[in-house]
Amino acid sequence: MAITAGLALLFAGLLTRQAGVHAQAPGQNQLTVYSPQTSYSVPLLDVNGQPYAGLVELLEPLGSVDARIDGKKYKLHFTPPGGRPLEVQFAGGKDKGKVRGNGYKLPANFVLQNGRGYVPLSVTSEIISRLLGSDAQLHPAARRLFIGNVQARYTLELHKDNPSRLLLGFSSPVNPSIATEPGRVRLTFRREPIVSSGPENVPYSDPLISGVTFSEHDGLAELDVTGTAPLMANFADGGKTIIVTGAPAPAPVAQEAPPAAPAPANPQNPSPQPRQPAGPRFLVLIDPAHGGNDIGAAITPSLPEKDVVLALARRVQRDLVNRGIAAGLLRNSDVAITLDQRAIWTNATRPALYIALHAANTGQGVHVFTAMLPAANLSPQGFLPWDTAQAAFLDLSGSVAGSVAAELESRKLPNATLLAPLRPMNNIAAPAIAVEIAPPAGNVDEIASAAYQEQVAQSIAAGVAAVRAKLPEVRP
Amino acid sequence: MTRRVLLMFAVLALIALGLTFYALHLKRKVARDEQLAAEQQRALAPLTNGPPTPVTLYIASDSDGTLRRTQVNVTLPPERTERARAVLRALFGEYLQSSSSHPIGAGADVRDVYLLGDDTAVVDTNAAFGDAHPSGVLAEELTVASIVVTLNANDSKIGRVKILINGQERETLAGHADLRRFYEASNIGQVVKDLQ
C-alpha cells in the first residue's frame, strides 16, 4: 500500500512539476492596484518562478466582467462603467491572444487553472491601459499598479523646535498603520498610492530626527523615520499631515519602580497637534463572507462561494458609492478572516450599517436575513453583551432588510426576509443584515453572471439609500 | 532500440503499474465507503421493538426554503432521551433518502440526546453530520430549525436545544448557522412560521 501511495505521490509530483503551477500561501504574494475609484489587492500565482495575475480579479473592481471558457479559448468581456463591452481572448498554454480585437503577444504563455485565466504580471499595466484607455504604471518589484494619475506624493518639513518635529504632508487624508520601535517610527500605507517624492533616503543633521527612508514592497509603501530617541506620530489637519516628534518621557511608576530615570534627550514634553476629532459619518461596511482556506459553499466544483460574494461585494460597494454613500469592504482579496475578527473589526470601524454577503447553490432567489435574537431593551449607546450585541439594533436592521426586500421585489427577483442564527451577525453593534443569493432560476452558473449580480447589487444599494435617513450617522 | 528508449519504457511501465495499483486501491476504498454508508443508513432503523407511534416531523425543503409538518410512525423506546433520539433519527432518515429535498451528509446520525434539567436537550450528532452538511445560510438554518421544532413538537417540555458534533461544540454547522448557542424553541417557532 505504501508503495502504491508513494508511486501515486511521485506521479502527482511529476505532473505538478511539469505544469509548473502552484498557488502561493494567501497574503504572501499580492498585487495592490490603485485606481481613481478604489484600491484593492489581487493574489498572484507563481508559474515557473514568474508571477501571474488573474484577469477576473484584476478587472472586476474596475467594471463588469463576464468570463467564459469556450473550448480551449478563454473569453472575457469587460465593460467599464458607462462603456461598452470589450473582449479579451487567450488560450491556455499559448502566448498569443487578442485584446479589444487586436492581436496581443504575451511574454510567456497564458495560464488556465481551475477555470480561471492568468496573465504574466508584467503585462497587467498594458492590458488595463488598452481596456480603460488610460495610463497604467506598474512597479513590478513592489507589486504595485497605478491606474491613471493616482500617485500621491508627500512633502517633508523639519521644524527644529524643541523637540524637533517632522511634518509629513499629503494631498488627501491618509490612514497608515503606525509601528514604533525605540528610535524609529514606521508608517505603512496599504491603501494609499503613496510614491517617492524625490530621493528615497533623506538624512537630517538634527539632534532628534536622523532621517526618512521611503520604500515599497509586497504591495505597500513604507516611510521609515529614524531618530536618536523614542519617537511618536500624530495625525493633524484631518489626516493630511502626520507629525513625528519625540515621545514623552515615561511617567514615574509607583513605589516599585527604580529611582528617577535619567532625563531623556529632549526633556520637555512635546506638544504635537492633537488629531482633529472627526465628525459623524455614514459608512456602510460590506462583509464578503469566507475567504482564504474557508471557501464557503462549493457553488460548482470550480466556483467557490468566497469568489461569488467578493465579486458581489465590489458591485454593491460601487453602486452605493454611485448613490453618494460611503462604503467599505471588510475583505477585498482572498484572505481568511475569522468570524470573531470580522465582528471586532466591524465594531471598531463603527459603521452605520453592516451587510454580510453569502451565496448558496440550493434554493432560488435572494434571502435577506436579520439576527435571530430575542428582543432586548438595550441602549445602543450603553454596554452591549458580545453574544447579543445585535439585539439593540434589531428594529433598524429589520427596516433595512424590509427596504432591500422591497427593492428586490420591484426588480422581480424572488426573495424572502427571514431571521437567521448567523455568525457573526449577533456580535455586530450596528444595524446589520445578511444577504444570501441563490441561482436565479435553478441555473447554478447564473449566480456569477454580471447581469444577475448587478440586479442584486442595485437592489441592495437602492434599499440602503431608501432608509438612509432612518440610520444614524456614527462618530468614528 | 537505444538504451535511452529502453529506460524510458521501463519508467513508463513502472508508472503504469503504480497507477494500476492505485486505481485498485481507490476502487476498494469506494466499495468500503459505500458499505459503511449503507451500514450507517441501516443504523437509523428503530432501536426497539413495539407498536409504532405517530410522531411529528418538521421536514425541510431546499427548493422552496420551507419546513413542512408531517407525521410518521416510529417505534419509540420508553425512556425520554431515547425517545428524543428515535424521533431525530426518523427525521435524519427522511433527509438521508436519495429523493430528499433537503439532503444532509451521508452517514449523518444522532449519537445521543442528553437532558439538562427538564427543558434543555443536548443533541450529540456524529462527525458525518457536521463534516458533510451542505453549506449555506438557509440550508443550515432549515436543518437546525427542523431539529429544534421536531423535538419540541414531540416533547413539549423541551424548550431549549443545543447541538454538538461528535461530542464537541462547533462554531458553526457548515460555515453559517451558529452552533455555540442554545436555541429556544419559542424563537425558532417564529422562524418556522416564516418558513411554512
Side-chain angles (χ1 to χ4, degrees), chain B residues 53-108:
Chain B
T53 310
V55 299
T56 301
L57 305 180
Y58 281 85
I59 296 176
S61 166
D62 289 337
S63 55
D64 52 5
T66 57
L67 281 178
R68 184 171 43 85
R69 189 174 187 272
T70 187
Q71 281 206 326
V72 296
N73 290 319
V74 177
T75 304
L76 294 177
E79 203 275 323
R80 198 173 159 210
T81 57
E82 283 299 316
R83 270 207 315 273
R85 184 183 176 212
V87 168
L88 289 182
R89 296 179 106 225
L91 179 68
F92 278 30
E94 295 284 335
Y95 292 146
L96 288 170
Q97 289 177 18
S98 57
S99 59
S100 171
S101 61
H102 179 72
I104 58 174

Side-chain angles (χ1 to χ4, degrees), chain A residues 83-153:
Chain A
R84 59 184 180 79
L86 307 169
E87 191 178 71
V88 178
Q89 188 176 309
F90 288 104
K94 308 278 184 192
D95 60 357
K96 286 179 185 153
K98 285 182 179 175
V99 177
R100 296 187 69 173
N102 297 321
Y104 188 82
K105 189 173 187 312
L106 297 169
N109 287 343
F110 185 76
V111 168
L112 264 181
Q113 192 185 63
N114 297 326
R116 297 171 182 223
Y118 296 86
V119 294
L121 173 65
S122 57
V123 299
T124 50
S125 55
E126 197 177 337
I127 288 178
I128 282 183
S129 288
R130 289 189 178 207
L131 290 176
L132 292 178
S134 59
D135 283 342
Q137 194 182 353
L138 176 71
H139 294 192
R143 308 279 201 255
R144 302 177 83 204
L145 175 62
F146 303 87
I147 300 172
N149 294 317
V150 292
Q151 290 93 331
R153 293 182 166 75

Side-chain angles (χ1 to χ4, degrees), chain B residues 20-21 38 48 51 75 88 104 111 147 179 185:
Chain B
T20 306
F21 275 117
T48 55
T75 304
L88 289 182
I104 58 174
R111 293 184 357 147
I147 288 173
L179 287 195

Side-chain angles (χ1 to χ4, degrees), chain A residues 266-280:
Chain A
N266 299 285
Q268 290 187 10
N269 277 339
S271 53
Q273 292 177 27
R275 187 174 184 168
Q276 298 286 324

Side-chain angles (χ1 to χ4, degrees), chain A residues 28-231:
Chain A
Q28 279 188 343
N29 198 3
Q30 294 192 331
L31 170 73
T32 303
V33 183
Y34 308 92
S35 79
Q37 292 80 28
T38 183
S39 60
Y40 55 98
S41 303
V42 176
L44 296 175
L45 192 72
D46 183 39
V47 182
N48 294 329
Q50 189 173 351
Y52 273 64
L55 275 176
V56 170
E57 289 85 351
L58 184 68
L59 297 172
E60 204 155 41
L62 305 171
S64 297
V65 174
D66 189 13
R68 291 179 195 280
I69 295 178
D70 184 4
K72 291 181 178 177
K73 287 182 181 168
Y74 177 86
K75 291 182 178 174
L76 181 146
H77 288 96
F78 170 73
T79 312
R84 59 184 180 79
L86 307 169
E87 191 178 71
V88 178
Q89 188 176 309
F90 288 104
K94 308 278 184 192
D95 60 357
K96 286 179 185 153
K98 285 182 179 175
V99 177
R100 296 187 69 173
N102 297 321
Y104 188 82
K105 189 173 187 312
L106 297 169
N109 287 343
F110 185 76
V111 168
L112 264 181
Q113 192 185 63
N114 297 326
R116 297 171 182 223
Y118 296 86
V119 294
L121 173 65
S122 57
V123 299
T124 50
S125 55
E126 197 177 337
I127 288 178
I128 282 183
S129 288
R130 289 189 178 207
L131 290 176
L132 292 178
S134 59
D135 283 342
Q137 194 182 353
L138 176 71
H139 294 192
R143 308 279 201 255
R144 302 177 83 204
L145 175 62
F146 303 87
I147 300 172
N149 294 317
V150 292
Q151 290 93 331
R153 293 182 166 75
Y154 54 89
T155 57
L156 297 172
E157 241 179 86
L158 182 66
H159 290 227
K160 296 200 172 189
D161 307 330
N162 195 2
S164 300
R165 294 184 302 142
L166 177 67
L167 273 60
L168 296 101
F170 303 89
S171 55
S172 56
V174 293
N175 188 23
S177 59
I178 299 175
T180 56
E181 297 169 26
R184 186 178 180 197
V185 169
R186 193 168 62 246
L187 311 172
T188 304
F189 301 85
R190 293 179 190 281
R191 295 282 167 211
E192 296 90 344
I194 305 293
V195 294
S196 174
S197 304
E200 294 192 342
N201 220 330
V202 181
Y204 292 113
S205 54
D206 180 77
L208 179 62
I209 310 281
S210 312
V212 182
T213 305
F214 173 85
S215 62
E216 54 176 0
H217 56 86
D218 300 324
L220 51 85
E222 277 186 354
L223 277 169
D224 206 353
V225 184
T226 50
T228 56
L231 299 173

Side-chain angles (χ1 to χ4, degrees), chain A residues 14 51 67 98 107 238 272 302 313 408 448 464:
Chain A
L14 283 170
K98 285 182 179 175
S302 61
L408 290 163
V464 172

Side-chain angles (χ1 to χ4, degrees), chain A residues 139-450:
Chain A
H139 294 192
R143 308 279 201 255
R144 302 177 83 204
L145 175 62
F146 303 87
I147 300 172
N149 294 317
V150 292
Q151 290 93 331
R153 293 182 166 75
Y154 54 89
T155 57
L156 297 172
E157 241 179 86
L158 182 66
H159 290 227
K160 296 200 172 189
D161 307 330
N162 195 2
S164 300
R165 294 184 302 142
L166 177 67
L167 273 60
L168 296 101
F170 303 89
S171 55
S172 56
V174 293
N175 188 23
S177 59
I178 299 175
T180 56
E181 297 169 26
R184 186 178 180 197
V185 169
R186 193 168 62 246
L187 311 172
T188 304
F189 301 85
R190 293 179 190 281
R191 295 282 167 211
E192 296 90 344
I194 305 293
V195 294
S196 174
S197 304
E200 294 192 342
N201 220 330
V202 181
Y204 292 113
S205 54
D206 180 77
L208 179 62
I209 310 281
S210 312
V212 182
T213 305
F214 173 85
S215 62
E216 54 176 0
H217 56 86
D218 300 324
L220 51 85
E222 277 186 354
L223 277 169
D224 206 353
V225 184
T226 50
T228 56
L231 299 173
M232 60 182 283
N234 284 291
F235 290 88
D237 191 20
K240 287 185 179 177
T241 304
I242 296 175
I243 302 168
V244 179
T245 186
V253 183
Q255 295 82 353
E256 294 163 24
N266 299 285
Q268 290 187 10
N269 277 339
S271 53
Q273 292 177 27
R275 187 174 184 168
Q276 298 286 324
R281 52 107 166 96
F282 189 93
L283 172 73
V284 177
L285 193 58
I286 305 161
D287 180 5
H290 312 288
N293 292 331
D294 171 15
I295 67 161
I299 306 294
T300 67
S302 61
L303 183 62
E305 180 185 358
K306 64 175 183 175
D307 289 351
V308 174
V309 295
L310 181 56
L312 177 63
R314 287 170 174 159
R315 290 180 196 280
V316 175
Q317 182 188 32
R318 193 186 316 136
D319 291 341
L320 283 168
V321 169
N322 287 344
R323 290 170 185 273
I325 296 173
L329 298 182
L330 207 56
R331 74 173 171 92
N332 199 4
S333 60
D334 187 17
V335 292
I337 311 173
T338 67
L339 296 170
D340 281 336
Q341 277 174 337
R342 288 173 196 266
I344 290 167
W345 291 353
T346 300
N347 292 341
T349 306
R350 295 175 60 78
L353 175 66
Y354 165 89
I355 302 175
L357 297 177
H358 291 267
N361 58 2
T362 55
Q364 186 180 334
V366 185
H367 291 94
V368 186
F369 298 95
T370 53
M372 184 196 288
L373 281 173
N377 190 19
L378 295 170
S379 162
Q381 281 78 38
F383 173 79
L384 296 173
W386 175 255
D387 284 334
T388 56
Q390 178 56 203
F393 302 89
L394 286 178
D395 285 347
L396 288 173
S397 302
S399 295
V400 180
S403 179
V404 170
E407 291 293 336
L408 290 163
E409 193 68 37
S410 72
R411 287 167 176 77
K412 297 189 171 32
L413 289 170
N415 69 88
T417 310
L418 295 166
L419 305 176
L422 177 64
R423 292 210 65 219
M425 213 152 58
N426 289 0
N427 315 117
I428 302 296
I433 63 167
V435 177
E436 182 175 65
I437 59 168
N443 182 359
V444 173
D445 289 330
E446 279 298 299
I447 201 169
S449 79

